[in-house]
Amino acid sequence: MDYADQMILAHQKSSADLKGHIEGGKVHGEMPQALDDAQKQKLAPLASLDGQAFRDAYITMQREAHQEAIALFSAYARNGDDADLKNWATSTLGELNHHLEMARSLK
């Protein structure tokens, strides 16, 4: 299984986990139903690329996205105001770090 397939499966799992916390009443909030404008803007450059240019841009984006996610999850794990969400963020950090290492190993 290649990196992109692994990311799809991992993100489906983490989304389902979070959705379960929300539906179970442990976490208050709503699951996003679509990409927001900032996310769309980040992805837009990929649409015009192919081949090695696409691959290079995708790898860079994956590295940056996982670094941002680790920072966000780490901050919430330390300072969040919802105990269940803090535990989930803490338990997800190991996988996020693994994903970043995988992204860093891509050539």
Side-chain angles (χ1 to χ4, degrees):
M1 180 179 313
D2 70 8
Y3 176 82
D5 290 334
Q6 289 181 53
M7 291 305 97
I8 291 168
L9 291 175
H11 291 190
Q12 287 172 336
K13 180 188 176 302
S14 65
S15 292
D17 289 347
L18 183 56
K19 184 177 180 182
H21 284 292
I22 292 170
E23 289 176 349
K26 292 181 178 182
V27 173
H28 302 286
E30 292 183 22
M31 291 292 292
Q33 300 301 309
L35 296 175
D36 64 25
D37 289 339
Q39 292 165 326
K40 289 176 186 176
Q41 193 172 22
K42 283 184 179 182
L43 289 175
L46 291 178
S48 64
L49 302 174
D50 60 8
Q52 191 62 46
F54 176 88
R55 183 173 170 77
D56 292 344
Y58 173 78
I59 291 170
T60 297
M61 291 174 83
Q62 285 296 300
R63 290 173 182 163
E64 291 171 357
H66 282 94
Q67 288 170 338
E68 290 171 11
I70 290 167
L72 177 69
F73 278 60
S74 294
Y76 199 88
R78 282 189 312 275
N79 304 314
D81 57 358
D82 182 291
D84 287 318
L85 193 54
K86 281 177 74 167
N87 289 335
W88 179 75
T90 300
S91 69
T92 305
L93 276 168
E95 188 168 6
L96 289 172
N97 279 300
H98 176 66
H99 294 168
L100 177 58
E101 290 308 311
M102 290 170 57
R104 286 178 173 157
S105 73
L106 296 171
K107 299 181 191 250

